Amino acid sequence: MRVSSTRAPVLFAAFCTALLQGCGGTSDSGTGGERQSTTPASAVRVVASTNVYGDIVRQVGGDRVSVDSIISDPAQDPHSYEASARNQLAVSKARVVIENGGGYDDFIGKMLRTANNASSTEVIDAVQVSGKTAPEGGELNEHVWYDLPTASRLADRIADALARADPAHGAFFHRNAEEFDDRLEPLLAEVARIKADHPNAAVAVTEPVPLYLTEASGLRDDTPAEFGAAVEDGTEVPANTMRQMLDLLEDKRVKALVYNRQTSGPQTERVKKAAAENGIPVVSVTETLPEGQDYVSWMKANVEALRKALGP
């Protein structure tokens, strides 16, 4: 079909815009569903194991980073994720890689071991940054992104790494990390208020994902240890353990149930139903960043939901 002379400039302009956008770098989909933004070709390439860390990188790096978050779909389980050829290519081009560590995202280590740029890639391990260790006789809770001070330290550590990769913008990265830290301060204050208002209040969790946040809030986890372990491992909860968990709710011995909706199954659904039937508030949490939120807004929503569940 012949294009009229009046439409041709418009179509040509649209084509040029699309072409330019296609050639530029982008902040990937691991930013809570936020619109992709064009980044310069000189941007520092970063790979993050999940969109939680990808979002923190984006907040620190701004348009000077190109972020590839490997896991952003709530249906993907980092414990069992198998990396793709695309993931491997991204890692092979990355200047900085952010992993959770602690056995949570072992696929990152596997890719790094076969990457041809391993010696020039700076790897940041969030568990190492956190300083968290396993309790004596127990297992490490690797879900360190639910620890707000760890997120603050991680942002600072990311700024350092980006500054080494792009020294000309070091001040920009460190200023953004400081702004990120400042945004966390009101949340830390709110967590402290919960601790003051509800000291040692009992809660139950479907698995250990939110425990750093509940512990910082001064709350006591009364969940039978075998319950959370079985759910996290994807195994059957023993009948006597399930009975103990249901008794907590039916006897109203906990003030809230914190429920990981990304790993729901018949047993956790049964527990959630029991909480609702007995008037126990349910606080839903996730392991990856919900669409449309950044790390701070997500954690703010979690803290507010926890306070609401506990009451005045």
Side-chain angles (χ1 to χ4, degrees), residues 3-311:
V3 179
S4 69
S5 59
T6 56
R7 290 180 59 202
V10 175
L11 293 174
F12 180 73
F15 169 78
C16 290
T17 300
L19 181 63
L20 288 171
Q21 289 177 340
C23 293
T26 60
S27 292
D28 79 316
S29 60
T31 56
E34 199 168 284
R35 182 178 63 84
Q36 293 184 340
S37 60
T38 302
T39 56
S42 59
V44 180
R45 290 179 177 267
V46 182
V47 169
S49 63
T50 74
N51 65 354
V52 175
Y53 297 127
D55 177 74
I56 297 175
V57 172
R58 182 190 59 79
Q59 293 194 56
V60 174
D63 63 0
R64 297 303 313 172
V65 294
S66 177
V67 188
D68 192 341
S69 296
I70 293 177
I71 292 182
S72 57
D73 183 349
Q76 294 172 316
D77 182 0
H79 291 283
S80 58
Y81 182 76
E82 292 293 334
S84 67
R86 178 186 175 280
N87 299 149
Q88 184 70 62
L89 179 62
V91 168
S92 71
K93 294 181 177 181
R95 293 290 303 277
V96 180
V97 171
I98 319 293
E99 65 176 344
N100 185 79
Y104 185 77
D105 44 12
D106 287 340
F107 60 88
I108 291 287
K110 293 177 182 177
M111 287 191 290
L112 286 169
R113 285 191 290 273
T114 59
N116 56 14
N117 64 329
S119 61
S120 61
T121 301
E122 183 163 356
V123 180
I124 301 175
D125 184 311
V127 168
Q128 290 181 1
V129 171
S130 76
K132 305 291 186 184
T133 58
E136 186 174 352
E139 295 185 359
L140 170 73
N141 177 9
E142 70 272 26
H143 308 98
V144 294
W145 64 92
Y146 267 93
D147 181 64
L148 298 177
T150 290
S152 176
R153 288 193 290 271
L154 184 62
D156 296 341
R157 180 73 174 75
I158 289 169
D160 291 342
L162 294 178
R164 282 188 282 273
D166 182 5
H169 294 89
F172 171 74
F173 299 137
H174 285 103
R175 183 169 62 251
N176 286 348
E178 290 175 4
E179 291 177 359
F180 178 82
D181 294 344
D182 289 343
R183 291 183 66 203
L184 288 177
E185 286 300 322
L187 298 188
L188 291 166
E190 183 64 16
V191 167
R193 280 193 289 271
I194 293 175
K195 184 175 183 178
D197 293 343
H198 303 277
N200 207 37
V203 296
V205 301
T206 55
E207 61 178 306
V209 171
L211 286 183
Y212 287 121
L213 181 60
T214 58
E215 289 168 358
S217 301
L219 307 178
R220 186 181 76 249
D221 174 29
D222 279 2
T223 312
E226 295 83 357
F227 184 91
V231 172
E232 190 169 29
D233 293 342
T235 59
E236 190 76 13
V237 177
N240 63 327
T241 301
M242 175 60 81
R243 185 65 263 163
Q244 292 171 17
M245 185 68 162
L246 294 174
D247 286 345
L248 282 177
L249 303 169
E250 292 169 2
D251 296 342
K252 300 184 179 181
R253 286 187 271 133
V254 295
K255 297 195 69 172
L257 170 70
V258 187
Y259 173 86
N260 181 5
R261 67 173 183 261
Q262 283 187 221
T263 56
S264 63
Q267 294 175 312
T268 55
E269 285 295 319
R270 183 180 176 191
V271 166
K272 181 182 178 183
K273 181 180 179 182
E277 290 175 346
N278 289 279
I280 304 296
V282 176
V283 178
S284 293
V285 296
T286 58
E287 295 188 46
T288 54
L289 197 64
E291 186 174 355
Q293 294 192 35
D294 65 16
Y295 177 82
V296 178
S297 66
W298 177 39
M299 285 296 140
K300 180 181 179 183
N302 287 328
V303 172
E304 289 176 346
L306 193 58
R307 170 171 276 287
K308 181 178 179 182
L310 294 169

